Amino acid sequence: MSTDTADTTGPASPAGRPLLELRGLRKEFGGRRTNVAVDDVSLDVHEGETLALVGESGCGKTTLTRLLLGLLEPTAGSVSFGGQDLATLTAAELRGTRRQMQVVLQDPYSSMNPRMRITDIVAEPLVTHDPEARGRRARARTRQRVGELLEAVGLDAGIQDRYPHEFSGGQRQRISIARALALHPRMLVLDEPTSALDVSVQATVLDLLADLQQRLGLTYVFVSHNLAVVAQVADRVAVMSRGRLVEVGETAAVLRTPRHPYTRQLFDAVPVLDPRRGRRAAARASSPTGEAGR
């Protein structure tokens, strides 16, 4: 990768090898005219950290997250989770690995069947992966587990018999998070989880995610366009452009002194009240230390 970047593998993990390892990952689409969506991506994600993946629309973020979840097969390269190369796993082994990595999507309503009650929506991963959660005899036990999950995300366990349209956007996103937690995953891929929410609701969802990460030891891959959110939640940030990683580093360092021209261009596009303040002011406005108000 011929770019001026920080080390894509990040700092040494105190627990040994990373939870997620991407090596030389490439994904091509098309026939005669090949479209390279992901090109030579190598990246580590360590247990318990939040890695933010940023870049403009069409840069390859969505394709990369599908690759790391095992939903797409790479054209070249490898994805390893917990030390296991996904390409070498049997169908049964891959099924077990997928329990450990779940996804929360941008629009929670579109990810829910409007004809299903909340209890069935949240229990869907349990029913799919755990034979003991199926059948009438398991119904009471499953409802109890769903109630616990709903309470864990700040909702009342008594909402189980209601439908998705009866809830606000923020409540639906909490329901999506509860569903993602059903199988006790080690990692969550959060695909723009707050971009469809009002600013005040965004803050409560971000607080919830931070609390869950601390209590459950979760690892997050956080896809976002919002640099202010990235500054608040991410330990490290990976910047994508045209399918490649152009810069990876500690969030504060990348926001303060971006090395790659594309990263600087991305930050320059952040709206500020006074355009003369430029990129440095935009980065300060995104800083969790609140330097913009000084």
Side-chain angles (χ1 to χ4, degrees), residues 234-245:
D235 300 301
R236 290 191 299 138
V237 58
V239 183
M240 284 196 76
S241 175
R242 299 182 179 181
R244 283 178 167 259
L245 289 182

Side-chain angles (χ1 to χ4, degrees), residues 64-77:
L64 182 60
T65 57
R66 289 178 178 174
L67 288 167
L68 66 87
L69 287 167
L71 300 177
L72 287 176
E73 291 186 10
T75 304

Side-chain angles (χ1 to χ4, degrees), residues 67-104:
L67 288 167
L68 66 87
L69 287 167
L71 300 177
L72 287 176
E73 291 186 10
T75 304
S78 65
V79 178
S80 295
F81 184 85
Q84 296 182 304
D85 186 338
L86 298 189
T88 67
L89 300 181
T90 65
E93 290 170 337
L94 183 59
R95 187 183 183 88
T97 299
R98 282 180 171 160
R99 294 173 61 103
Q100 302 179 57
M101 44 184 178
Q102 296 292 304
V103 62
V104 176

Side-chain angles (χ1 to χ4, degrees), residues 123-278:
E124 197 167 15
L126 293 170
V127 173
T128 301
H129 287 271
D130 187 357
E132 294 184 1
R134 303 169 194 167
R136 292 183 179 180
R137 293 183 179 180
R139 185 71 177 175
R141 186 170 60 251
T142 300
R143 282 184 66 89
Q144 181 180 353
R145 172 63 177 151
V146 169
E148 293 170 353
L149 289 165
L150 292 172
E151 290 177 346
V153 298
L155 295 173
D156 193 315
I159 67 171
Q160 295 193 47
D161 291 322
R162 295 166 65 182
Y163 292 90
H165 72 269
E166 300 181 62
F167 298 92
S168 67
Q171 290 171 324
R172 286 195 288 260
Q173 195 60 291
R174 288 172 181 267
I175 293 168
S176 292
I177 295 169
R179 176 176 57 186
L181 296 176
L183 296 172
H184 304 286
R186 297 172 69 184
M187 183 182 77
L188 294 185
V189 174
L190 303 160
D191 189 359
E192 299 274 7
T194 62
S195 64
L197 306 176
D198 294 337
V199 175
S200 60
V201 180
Q202 284 184 19
T204 62
V205 172
L206 291 175
D207 287 344
L208 169 65
L209 289 170
D211 177 63
L212 290 170
Q213 185 175 42
Q214 184 176 19
R215 286 194 287 120
L216 304 177
L218 295 167
T219 301
Y220 292 156
V221 175
F222 195 102
V223 181
S224 181
H225 288 87
N226 190 325
L227 295 177
V229 169
V230 167
Q232 179 182 343
V233 305
D235 300 301
R236 290 191 299 138
V237 58
V239 183
M240 284 196 76
S241 175
R242 299 182 179 181
R244 283 178 167 259
L245 289 182
V246 297
E247 185 159 0
V248 180
E250 300 293 329
T251 302
V254 173
L255 289 174
R256 184 173 58 251
T257 53
R259 296 182 179 184
H260 195 274
Y262 174 77
T263 309
R264 295 194 290 270
Q265 180 184 353
L266 191 66
F267 292 174
D268 283 339
V270 177
V272 292
L273 293 177
D274 182 356
R276 292 173 296 180
R277 294 169 63 199

Side-chain angles (χ1 to χ4, degrees), residues 12-34:
S13 171
R17 76 184 296 172
L19 177 63
L20 179 71
E21 300 171 86
L22 312 181
R23 294 291 179 267
L25 210 56
R26 181 180 177 89
K27 182 60 181 178
E28 300 175 358
F29 294 100
R32 293 182 179 179
R33 300 186 62 179
T34 301

